[in-house]
Short mmCIF file of all heavy atoms in Angstrom, two decimals:
data_model
loop_
_atom_site.label_atom_id
_atom_site.label_comp_id
_atom_site.label_asym_id
_atom_site.label_seq_id
_atom_site.Cartn_x
_atom_site.Cartn_y
_atom_site.Cartn_z
N ASP A 186 -6.52 -4.64 -12.35
CA ASP A 186 -6.70 -4.37 -13.84
C ASP A 186 -7.41 -3.04 -13.96
O ASP A 186 -8.52 -2.87 -13.49
CB ASP A 186 -7.56 -5.52 -14.46
CG ASP A 186 -7.52 -5.49 -15.97
OD1 ASP A 186 -6.81 -4.70 -16.58
OD2 ASP A 186 -8.26 -6.35 -16.55
N VAL A 187 -6.71 -2.11 -14.61
CA VAL A 187 -7.21 -0.74 -14.75
C VAL A 187 -7.39 -0.45 -16.26
O VAL A 187 -6.47 -0.63 -17.06
CB VAL A 187 -6.26 0.25 -14.11
CG1 VAL A 187 -6.68 1.73 -14.33
CG2 VAL A 187 -6.10 0.00 -12.58
N LYS A 188 -8.53 0.14 -16.65
CA LYS A 188 -8.81 0.45 -18.05
C LYS A 188 -9.30 1.87 -18.19
O LYS A 188 -10.31 2.28 -17.59
CB LYS A 188 -9.84 -0.53 -18.59
CG LYS A 188 -9.41 -1.97 -18.62
CD LYS A 188 -10.49 -2.93 -19.10
CE LYS A 188 -10.07 -4.31 -19.13
NZ LYS A 188 -11.13 -5.28 -19.49
N ASN A 189 -8.57 2.67 -18.99
CA ASN A 189 -8.84 4.04 -19.37
C ASN A 189 -9.36 4.88 -18.18
O ASN A 189 -10.36 5.56 -18.19
CB ASN A 189 -10.03 4.02 -20.46
CG ASN A 189 -10.16 5.37 -21.15
OD1 ASN A 189 -9.19 6.10 -21.27
ND2 ASN A 189 -11.40 5.64 -21.60
N LEU A 190 -8.50 4.86 -17.11
CA LEU A 190 -8.86 5.54 -15.92
C LEU A 190 -8.56 7.01 -16.06
O LEU A 190 -7.43 7.40 -16.33
CB LEU A 190 -8.07 4.95 -14.78
CG LEU A 190 -8.44 5.44 -13.33
CD1 LEU A 190 -9.85 5.00 -13.00
CD2 LEU A 190 -7.43 4.93 -12.32
N ARG A 191 -9.61 7.87 -15.77
CA ARG A 191 -9.44 9.28 -15.84
C ARG A 191 -9.98 9.92 -14.51
O ARG A 191 -10.90 9.44 -13.93
CB ARG A 191 -10.25 9.90 -16.97
CG ARG A 191 -9.67 9.59 -18.37
CD ARG A 191 -10.58 10.10 -19.41
NE ARG A 191 -10.76 11.57 -19.32
CZ ARG A 191 -9.92 12.44 -19.83
NH1 ARG A 191 -8.81 12.08 -20.45
NH2 ARG A 191 -10.17 13.79 -19.64
N LYS A 192 -9.27 10.92 -14.02
CA LYS A 192 -9.74 11.69 -12.89
C LYS A 192 -9.61 13.19 -13.19
O LYS A 192 -8.49 13.65 -13.50
CB LYS A 192 -8.94 11.37 -11.63
CG LYS A 192 -9.42 12.10 -10.41
CD LYS A 192 -10.81 11.76 -10.00
CE LYS A 192 -11.26 12.46 -8.71
NZ LYS A 192 -12.67 12.14 -8.32
N VAL A 193 -10.72 13.88 -13.17
CA VAL A 193 -10.73 15.31 -13.46
C VAL A 193 -11.29 16.06 -12.26
O VAL A 193 -12.41 15.72 -11.81
CB VAL A 193 -11.64 15.68 -14.72
CG1 VAL A 193 -11.57 17.13 -15.04
CG2 VAL A 193 -11.07 14.83 -15.95
N TYR A 194 -10.56 17.02 -11.78
CA TYR A 194 -11.07 17.83 -10.68
C TYR A 194 -11.53 19.19 -11.23
O TYR A 194 -10.89 19.75 -12.14
CB TYR A 194 -9.97 18.11 -9.70
CG TYR A 194 -9.42 16.87 -8.98
CD1 TYR A 194 -8.21 16.26 -9.33
CD2 TYR A 194 -10.17 16.34 -7.85
CE1 TYR A 194 -7.74 15.11 -8.71
CE2 TYR A 194 -9.67 15.19 -7.26
CZ TYR A 194 -8.48 14.62 -7.62
OH TYR A 194 -8.02 13.50 -6.97
N THR A 195 -12.65 19.74 -10.71
CA THR A 195 -13.09 21.02 -11.13
C THR A 195 -12.77 22.00 -9.96
O THR A 195 -13.32 21.77 -8.78
CB THR A 195 -14.63 21.01 -11.34
OG1 THR A 195 -14.91 20.14 -12.43
CG2 THR A 195 -15.10 22.44 -11.77
N ILE A 196 -11.93 22.94 -10.24
CA ILE A 196 -11.55 23.98 -9.25
C ILE A 196 -11.94 25.29 -9.75
O ILE A 196 -11.32 25.85 -10.65
CB ILE A 196 -9.99 23.96 -9.01
CG1 ILE A 196 -9.59 22.49 -8.55
CG2 ILE A 196 -9.60 24.95 -7.88
CD1 ILE A 196 -8.08 22.34 -8.42
N GLY A 197 -13.04 25.80 -9.17
CA GLY A 197 -13.60 27.05 -9.66
C GLY A 197 -14.17 26.88 -11.08
O GLY A 197 -14.94 25.99 -11.33
N THR A 198 -13.57 27.61 -12.04
CA THR A 198 -13.98 27.48 -13.42
C THR A 198 -12.99 26.57 -14.24
O THR A 198 -13.16 26.37 -15.39
CB THR A 198 -14.09 28.78 -14.12
OG1 THR A 198 -12.80 29.49 -14.03
CG2 THR A 198 -15.17 29.71 -13.46
#
Side-chain angles (χ1 to χ4, degrees):
D186 193 2
V187 175
K188 296 177 181 176
N189 196 28
L190 188 66
R191 291 176 58 83
K192 182 64 177 179
V193 181
Y194 296 101
T195 301
I196 303 173
T198 58

